[in-house]
Amino acid sequence: LISDDLQHAIHNASLLIGMHADSATEHVVDAALKHQKPFVVIPCCVFPNLFSKRVIKIKDENEKSSVTKEIPVRTHDQFCTYLMQKDKRFVMEKLPFDGRNIAIWWDG
């Protein structure tokens, strides 16, 4: 449930940004998709205990068919993969600085 003020801000925004947004990162991405707004997030903290239902789908390398398995999201790399799996149009890029420097974006 989001407030009327936040809904108004999202509606009037031309871009949604989440830099070190902690537990709000996925919400920024979801709001951008829902409202068809461009966004960029730089994922940082994963919070695997808070978001224990997050899983990524990966191809099982031991199977010859296209069997996928679900893996719980516990690492930063897995969190980035999880966000990327929300929509095929998303782009992931490495930014030119040290630290958490992976940006995921969509031009809406």
Side-chain angles (χ1 to χ4, degrees):
L1 192 65
I2 62 174
S3 71
D4 289 341
D5 288 341
L6 183 54
Q7 286 183 20
H8 185 263
I10 292 170
H11 176 75
N12 290 320
S14 56
L15 172 68
L16 302 181
I17 301 172
M19 295 183 66
H20 207 315
D22 288 338
S23 59
T25 300
E26 183 176 6
H27 299 295
V28 172
V29 173
D30 290 345
L33 279 172
K34 179 179 178 181
H35 298 280
Q36 297 294 294
K37 298 286 184 175
F39 78 89
V40 62
V41 292
I42 301 177
C44 54
C45 305
V46 180
F47 297 104
N49 294 331
L50 182 61
F51 298 103
S52 60
K53 294 186 180 176
R54 287 178 177 161
V55 293
I56 56 173
K57 295 176 181 161
I58 61 168
K59 187 176 187 296
D60 189 342
E61 295 175 7
N62 296 324
E63 296 288 330
K64 293 180 182 176
S65 64
S66 60
V67 173
T68 59
K69 60 182 177 179
E70 293 185 342
I71 304 292
V73 174
R74 308 232 19 111
T75 68
H76 180 261
D77 287 344
Q78 290 170 338
F79 186 36
C80 291
T81 299
Y82 170 79
L83 294 172
M84 290 295 294
Q85 288 180 350
K86 285 183 172 279
D87 196 293
K88 293 177 184 177
R89 298 170 292 177
F90 291 178
V91 177
M92 182 166 57
E93 294 186 56
K94 185 175 182 181
L95 301 175
F97 55 80
D98 292 333
R100 295 289 192 218
N101 59 357
I102 300 298
I104 297 172
W105 62 272
W106 176 52
D107 60 9

